[in-house]
Amino acid sequence: DEMHNRGGFVTIRDAGEGQQKPYEINIALFSAFNEHLPAYLAAHTLLFSFQGLPALYIHSLLATLNDRELVEQTGRTRSINRGYWLQATLEARLADPTSAQAQVLAHCLRIIECREAQPALATHAAQAVSPSPPGVFILRREVPEQRLIVVASLLSSSQQLPLHGTGLPPGVFTDRLTGRQVELSDTLALAPYEVLWLDVT
């Protein structure tokens, strides 16, 4: 229902016995996020935290919105996230630092550069998901020379994360995304959609 509200299409299949099940959502990713930039940037930061080689669809990288006109032209709902940019329009958006396109591209390029500098985020570095309360995601990445803990807030409001039971070690650690020092004691203050790459080596 929410994807429909945001202009997308949901393809339904017959599961038998009168049951209808959705199996595909057709929507531009930025539209799926309701054009909410902080959540969108956090999602991409989290994407770059995982094991493997990240792959970005060009329209996700450029914060492209739904193209309903192309759907009407082609008659295919998958066309909604396969629109075209006019070069002059895209260049103007990228030249405007306040545009979503410029902010998303700059953010992703910065995160890619930061990721490349972290041995623990190498493609095949070890990965383990840690226990965490609702609204938080904790991921450990590790190689012999570096231990990195990814802490991501999934909420639109600030929160205090109790560290008991999360396996997060006490101490003061560097967030490799920002370079700032983060203290872990009884709780960890997280801003809305904040993502930390804590170097606990």
Side-chain angles (χ1 to χ4, degrees):
D1 288 343
E2 194 57 44
M3 292 301 99
H4 280 305
N5 292 339
R6 298 179 185 188
F9 301 94
V10 180
T11 306
I12 305 295
R13 69 177 177 85
D14 186 353
E17 299 181 359
Q19 288 187 326
Q20 301 289 309
K21 291 191 174 181
Y23 76 90
E24 182 178 79
I25 297 174
N26 299 130
I27 191 169
L29 189 58
F30 195 44
S31 294
F33 274 79
N34 209 26
E35 302 177 49
H36 191 275
L37 197 57
Y40 193 76
L41 296 180
H44 282 77
T45 305
L46 197 51
L47 167 71
F48 286 116
S49 306
F50 283 99
Q51 194 177 55
L53 187 63
L56 284 178
Y57 190 45
I58 185 69
H59 288 302
S60 298
L61 189 62
L62 296 175
T64 306
L65 294 172
N66 291 334
D67 193 331
R68 302 281 298 214
E69 290 184 11
L70 190 59
V71 172
E72 292 178 9
Q73 291 173 19
T74 64
R76 295 190 298 270
T77 55
R78 286 186 176 183
S79 297
I80 197 167
N81 65 335
R82 297 177 179 177
Y84 301 91
W85 280 98
L86 293 175
Q87 183 175 339
T89 303
L90 180 57
E91 287 177 348
R93 295 280 181 86
L94 294 177
D96 176 5
T98 66
S99 74
Q101 288 68 42
Q103 291 183 63
V104 170
L105 181 59
H107 177 83
C108 288
L109 291 176
R110 182 178 70 83
I111 298 301
I112 290 170
E113 183 178 12
C114 185
R115 174 189 163 106
E116 289 177 347
Q118 311 309 317
L121 294 181
T123 303
H124 299 293
Q127 170 177 295
V129 176
S130 295
S132 57
V136 178
F137 183 80
I138 301 175
L139 179 72
R140 295 172 179 273
R141 301 293 312 276
E142 186 173 350
V143 289
E145 61 268 35
Q146 186 186 38
R147 292 170 56 221
L148 205 69
I149 300 179
V150 179
V151 182
S153 169
L154 310 178
L155 301 181
S156 59
S157 56
S158 299
Q159 60 176 310
Q160 292 287 334
L161 170 64
L163 299 188
H164 179 72
T166 63
L168 290 171
V172 178
F173 305 103
T174 302
D175 173 23
R176 291 300 176 192
L177 286 168
T178 62
R180 72 181 177 92
Q181 299 297 295
V182 177
E183 182 177 0
L184 300 181
S185 53
D186 295 330
T187 62
L188 171 62
L190 290 171
Y193 300 115
E194 183 174 17
V195 180
L196 305 172
W197 285 357
L198 299 178
D199 191 332
V200 298
T201 305

